[in-house]
Amino acid sequence: MAAALLTAPVTATAHAAPKPKEATRTIEWVAVLKSHTKPARLREGADWTVYAHLHLKARDGRPGKKIGDTTAHCAAILVNQRGHVTQCSRVLRTDAGHLSLTETMDRYGKGPHTAPAAVTGGTGAYADAEGEATVVLHGDIATFRIVLDD
């Protein structure tokens, strides 16, 4: 029996190798508001649509070359004296494909207002897109910093 134990294979405890970090791609775009149906006086449950032109973000942070457009469907989920909280679903359209985002944003005070957004999908060059974005609204300008996990 002792001989059997000595000839049995020895199993070493191996540490799992760390998973390689996923490659990411960062996109920075700017949208310029063209029209919306947001009511002048908000109430909880009110919804509206937004249409804007989509641009590359120039080095100075302003809109650069126009690359498409963007639409959003938003709803007021909380309204109080300080402002409101909205939930928006956005589609950013370019010739290369579409990206879909969703976010909930606190819009208290004058702004700018910032919120994290989830990348919920895409088409074309953005098919099977996953990742996160930061949406910043300031007046008639929205900026998007989108980090896609490849």
Side-chain angles (χ1 to χ4, degrees), residues 27-33 52-70 92 134 136 138 140-146:
I27 300 169
E28 295 193 85
W29 290 336
V30 177
V32 179
L33 179 69
H53 288 169
L54 189 62
H55 301 262
L56 293 174
K57 184 176 179 183
R59 288 183 185 209
D60 62 4
R62 297 179 359 172
K65 178 183 175 188
K66 183 176 180 274
I67 59 167
D69 61 11
T70 180
L92 291 71
T134 301
V136 179
H138 192 240
D140 290 348
I141 303 291
T143 60
F144 302 95
R145 184 175 194 279
I146 304 162

Side-chain angles (χ1 to χ4, degrees), residues 51-97:
Y51 176 78
H53 288 169
L54 189 62
H55 301 262
L56 293 174
K57 184 176 179 183
R59 288 183 185 209
D60 62 4
R62 297 179 359 172
K65 178 183 175 188
K66 183 176 180 274
I67 59 167
D69 61 11
T70 180
T71 58
H73 183 250
C74 300
I77 57 174
L78 176 68
V79 178
N80 60 35
Q81 291 177 323
R82 295 184 354 211
H84 56 279
V85 177
T86 60
Q87 183 176 354
C88 296
S89 297
R90 303 178 185 279
V91 177
L92 291 71
R93 302 187 316 161
T94 72
D95 287 342

Side-chain angles (χ1 to χ4, degrees), residues 111-137:
H113 302 105
T114 303
V119 176
T120 57
T123 66
Y126 312 109
D128 300 320
E130 294 178 339
E132 296 182 5
T134 301
V135 179
V136 179
L137 301 180

Side-chain angles (χ1 to χ4, degrees), residues 2 6 9 23-25 31 37 42 64 70 83 87 106-107 109 112 115 129 138-139 149:
L6 292 176
T24 61
R25 176 170 56 151
T37 61
L42 277 184
T70 180
Q87 183 176 354
D106 295 338
R107 297 187 191 189
H138 192 240
D149 301 329

